Amino acid sequence: REVQFMLNLLEASSGGAPPTSAEVLFTEFRDTGELPGPNEARYEVNYEFTLTTTFPGSTVEERYCGRAFWDLEGGDRNFWTLRTWEDLEPLPNPTRPCAGTMGLLRALSGQGKATATASSD
């Protein structure tokens, strides 16, 4: 679903043009130790997601950032599935303010709950 969410977002037209790039930066990514065992883990993640749209003569950036919990499962098979993405709060940044969290972006785009699959390689 995460891949489909990104594809839909990048194909969507905002102000007459789809975003020309998307960049995500993880400023914190740590295992909380709350879900013991080899098959599940909870990570606390701080992220900044930037959508850039280029128009003739100008560039517009939309930033979404927050602190979230990611609950992952499947580590015993070395193939992790993102079971839950829980946005906890937006990250304050007075020099580069954010429009909200990824949850807000999902709501604004009309797309649902976060679930993705990724290899742990």
Side-chain angles (χ1 to χ4, degrees), residues 75-100:
D76 61 342
R77 297 181 310 271
N78 204 24
F79 193 77
W80 291 96
T81 299
L82 177 60
R83 184 178 61 215
T84 306
W85 176 321
E86 178 185 354
D87 276 319
L88 303 171
E89 61 191 358
L91 290 178
N93 187 336
T95 58
R96 294 189 71 207
C98 294

Tab-separated table of all heavy atoms in Angstrom, residues 75-100:
chain	number	residue	atom	x	y	z
A	75	GLY	N	10.333	-10.713	10.793
A	75	GLY	CA	11.793	-10.755	10.857
A	75	GLY	C	12.382	-12.144	10.853
A	75	GLY	O	13.502	-12.338	10.397
A	76	ASP	N	11.621	-13.138	11.331
A	76	ASP	CA	12.133	-14.504	11.331
A	76	ASP	C	12.299	-15.026	9.907
A	76	ASP	O	13.057	-15.946	9.665
A	76	ASP	CB	11.252	-15.432	12.159
A	76	ASP	CG	9.825	-15.534	11.637
A	76	ASP	OD1	9.398	-14.662	10.857
A	76	ASP	OD2	9.124	-16.489	12.026
A	77	ARG	N	11.613	-14.419	8.966
A	77	ARG	CA	11.747	-14.811	7.562
A	77	ARG	C	12.652	-13.831	6.806
A	77	ARG	O	12.802	-13.934	5.603
A	77	ARG	CB	10.364	-14.843	6.906
A	77	ARG	CG	9.434	-15.859	7.521
A	77	ARG	CD	8.081	-15.877	6.827
A	77	ARG	NE	7.466	-14.572	6.681
A	77	ARG	CZ	6.669	-13.980	7.551
A	77	ARG	NH1	6.407	-14.586	8.692
A	77	ARG	NH2	6.139	-12.810	7.308
A	78	ASN	N	13.213	-12.855	7.534
A	78	ASN	CA	14.068	-11.815	6.942
A	78	ASN	C	13.337	-11.038	5.844
A	78	ASN	O	13.920	-10.602	4.872
A	78	ASN	CB	15.384	-12.408	6.416
A	78	ASN	CG	16.463	-11.366	6.350
A	78	ASN	OD1	16.421	-10.361	7.057
A	78	ASN	ND2	17.455	-11.581	5.510
A	79	PHE	N	12.023	-10.917	6.019
A	79	PHE	CA	11.187	-10.173	5.078
A	79	PHE	C	10.164	-9.415	5.916
A	79	PHE	O	9.181	-9.992	6.376
A	79	PHE	CB	10.495	-11.139	4.102
A	79	PHE	CG	9.877	-10.454	2.929
A	79	PHE	CD1	10.666	-10.003	1.885
A	79	PHE	CD2	8.512	-10.246	2.863
A	79	PHE	CE1	10.099	-9.370	0.782
A	79	PHE	CE2	7.933	-9.609	1.773
A	79	PHE	CZ	8.741	-9.173	0.737
A	80	TRP	N	10.422	-8.166	6.170
A	80	TRP	CA	9.614	-7.371	7.088
A	80	TRP	C	8.368	-6.806	6.406
A	80	TRP	O	8.422	-6.393	5.258
A	80	TRP	CB	10.439	-6.222	7.644
A	80	TRP	CG	11.516	-6.681	8.554
A	80	TRP	CD1	12.823	-6.903	8.229
A	80	TRP	CD2	11.386	-6.996	9.940
A	80	TRP	NE1	13.516	-7.324	9.331
A	80	TRP	CE2	12.659	-7.390	10.405
A	80	TRP	CE3	10.329	-6.978	10.836
A	80	TRP	CZ2	12.893	-7.758	11.717
A	80	TRP	CZ3	10.567	-7.343	12.150
A	80	TRP	CH2	11.833	-7.725	12.569
A	81	THR	N	7.279	-6.760	7.142
A	81	THR	CA	6.042	-6.130	6.705
A	81	THR	C	5.721	-5.009	7.686
A	81	THR	O	5.734	-5.225	8.903
A	81	THR	CB	4.879	-7.139	6.688
A	81	THR	OG1	5.186	-8.174	5.770
A	81	THR	CG2	3.574	-6.471	6.281
A	82	LEU	N	5.456	-3.828	7.161
A	82	LEU	CA	5.024	-2.716	7.995
A	82	LEU	C	3.551	-2.934	8.317
A	82	LEU	O	2.688	-2.781	7.468
A	82	LEU	CB	5.222	-1.387	7.266
A	82	LEU	CG	4.746	-0.129	7.988
A	82	LEU	CD1	5.458	0.060	9.318
A	82	LEU	CD2	4.950	1.080	7.088
A	83	ARG	N	3.284	-3.348	9.546
A	83	ARG	CA	1.924	-3.661	9.976
A	83	ARG	C	1.167	-2.384	10.349
A	83	ARG	O	0.006	-2.220	10.001
A	83	ARG	CB	1.964	-4.626	11.153
A	83	ARG	CG	0.604	-5.094	11.618
A	83	ARG	CD	0.685	-6.095	12.752
A	83	ARG	NE	1.336	-5.486	13.897
A	83	ARG	CZ	2.130	-6.130	14.743
A	83	ARG	NH1	2.384	-7.408	14.571
A	83	ARG	NH2	2.679	-5.508	15.753
A	84	THR	N	1.839	-1.476	11.061
A	84	THR	CA	1.177	-0.256	11.535
A	84	THR	C	2.126	0.924	11.449
A	84	THR	O	3.291	0.813	11.821
A	84	THR	CB	0.739	-0.409	13.013
A	84	THR	OG1	-0.050	-1.569	13.161
A	84	THR	CG2	-0.034	0.800	13.485
A	85	TRP	N	1.616	2.032	10.941
A	85	TRP	CA	2.337	3.316	10.976
A	85	TRP	C	1.456	4.235	11.795
A	85	TRP	O	0.365	4.608	11.384
A	85	TRP	CB	2.514	3.856	9.565
A	85	TRP	CG	3.147	5.215	9.445
A	85	TRP	CD1	2.958	6.309	10.248
A	85	TRP	CD2	4.064	5.632	8.441
A	85	TRP	NE1	3.687	7.368	9.797
A	85	TRP	CE2	4.384	6.980	8.679
A	85	TRP	CE3	4.633	5.003	7.338
A	85	TRP	CZ2	5.244	7.699	7.873
A	85	TRP	CZ3	5.493	5.727	6.541
A	85	TRP	CH2	5.806	7.046	6.809
A	86	GLU	N	1.913	4.598	12.983
A	86	GLU	CA	1.139	5.451	13.877
A	86	GLU	C	1.843	6.790	14.048
A	86	GLU	O	2.876	6.874	14.709
A	86	GLU	CB	0.979	4.772	15.241
A	86	GLU	CG	0.227	5.597	16.250
A	86	GLU	CD	0.189	4.963	17.637
A	86	GLU	OE1	0.642	3.821	17.808
A	86	GLU	OE2	-0.296	5.635	18.555
A	87	ASP	N	1.315	7.823	13.410
A	87	ASP	CA	1.860	9.158	13.600
A	87	ASP	C	1.509	9.625	15.002
A	87	ASP	O	0.351	9.555	15.407
A	87	ASP	CB	1.289	10.135	12.577
A	87	ASP	CG	2.030	10.095	11.259
A	87	ASP	OD1	3.269	10.003	11.252
A	87	ASP	OD2	1.358	10.167	10.228
A	88	LEU	N	2.520	10.093	15.738
A	88	LEU	CA	2.314	10.544	17.107
A	88	LEU	C	2.150	12.051	17.196
A	88	LEU	O	1.319	12.540	17.947
A	88	LEU	CB	3.483	10.096	17.985
A	88	LEU	CG	3.728	8.587	17.993
A	88	LEU	CD1	5.022	8.266	18.709
A	88	LEU	CD2	2.555	7.865	18.616
A	89	GLU	N	2.972	12.781	16.435
A	89	GLU	CA	2.919	14.237	16.468
A	89	GLU	C	3.765	14.798	15.338
A	89	GLU	O	4.696	14.150	14.870
A	89	GLU	CB	3.434	14.775	17.808
A	89	GLU	CG	4.891	14.399	18.075
A	89	GLU	CD	5.331	14.676	19.492
A	89	GLU	OE1	4.534	15.197	20.293
A	89	GLU	OE2	6.478	14.357	19.812
A	90	PRO	N	3.459	16.007	14.890
A	90	PRO	CA	4.325	16.660	13.901
A	90	PRO	C	5.630	17.076	14.564
A	90	PRO	O	5.679	17.281	15.780
A	90	PRO	CB	3.535	17.890	13.458
A	90	PRO	CG	2.255	17.881	14.206
A	90	PRO	CD	2.263	16.770	15.185
A	91	LEU	N	6.684	17.177	13.781
A	91	LEU	CA	7.960	17.670	14.299
A	91	LEU	C	8.011	19.183	14.126
A	91	LEU	O	7.844	19.682	13.018
A	91	LEU	CB	9.133	17.048	13.535
A	91	LEU	CG	9.390	15.568	13.762
A	91	LEU	CD1	10.551	15.105	12.892
A	91	LEU	CD2	9.680	15.276	15.216
A	92	PRO	N	8.251	19.905	15.198
A	92	PRO	CA	8.354	21.359	15.062
A	92	PRO	C	9.676	21.741	14.400
A	92	PRO	O	10.716	21.162	14.695
A	92	PRO	CB	8.301	21.852	16.514
A	92	PRO	CG	8.754	20.698	17.337
A	92	PRO	CD	8.395	19.460	16.567
A	93	ASN	N	9.619	22.677	13.478
A	93	ASN	CA	10.822	23.173	12.819
A	93	ASN	C	10.543	24.620	12.403
A	93	ASN	O	9.975	24.858	11.341
A	93	ASN	CB	11.176	22.306	11.610
A	93	ASN	CG	12.505	22.689	11.001
A	93	ASN	OD1	12.977	23.813	11.140
A	93	ASN	ND2	13.116	21.746	10.308
A	94	PRO	N	10.913	25.577	13.240
A	94	PRO	CA	10.577	26.971	12.939
A	94	PRO	C	11.242	27.511	11.674
A	94	PRO	O	10.697	28.397	11.023
A	94	PRO	CB	11.051	27.739	14.174
A	94	PRO	CG	11.841	26.805	14.989
A	94	PRO	CD	11.605	25.414	14.496
A	95	THR	N	12.400	26.978	11.287
A	95	THR	CA	13.068	27.486	10.090
A	95	THR	C	12.523	26.881	8.812
A	95	THR	O	12.564	27.513	7.766
A	95	THR	CB	14.592	27.248	10.162
A	95	THR	OG1	14.831	25.846	10.308
A	95	THR	CG2	15.203	27.997	11.328
A	96	ARG	N	12.016	25.649	8.873
A	96	ARG	CA	11.413	24.984	7.711
A	96	ARG	C	10.130	24.302	8.149
A	96	ARG	O	10.098	23.094	8.346
A	96	ARG	CB	12.385	23.962	7.117
A	96	ARG	CG	13.622	24.585	6.514
A	96	ARG	CD	14.452	23.578	5.759
A	96	ARG	NE	13.762	23.188	4.538
A	96	ARG	CZ	13.929	22.007	3.953
A	96	ARG	NH1	14.735	21.123	4.459
A	96	ARG	NH2	13.274	21.724	2.845
A	97	PRO	N	9.048	25.053	8.336
A	97	PRO	CA	7.811	24.465	8.862
A	97	PRO	C	7.223	23.393	7.950
A	97	PRO	O	7.403	23.418	6.743
A	97	PRO	CB	6.867	25.656	8.988
A	97	PRO	CG	7.495	26.770	8.243
A	97	PRO	CD	8.940	26.457	8.037
A	98	CYS	N	6.525	22.465	8.583
A	98	CYS	CA	5.856	21.369	7.874
A	98	CYS	C	4.363	21.635	7.808
A	98	CYS	O	3.792	22.267	8.690
A	98	CYS	CB	6.095	20.056	8.602
A	98	CYS	SG	7.808	19.531	8.582
A	99	ALA	N	3.740	21.096	6.764
A	99	ALA	CA	2.296	21.225	6.596
A	99	ALA	C	1.545	20.284	7.530
A	99	ALA	O	0.358	20.463	7.769
A	99	ALA	CB	1.909	20.945	5.146
A	100	GLY	N	2.225	19.273	8.057
A	100	GLY	CA	1.611	18.274	8.939
A	100	GLY	C	2.366	16.970	8.822
A	100	GLY	O	3.482	16.925	8.316
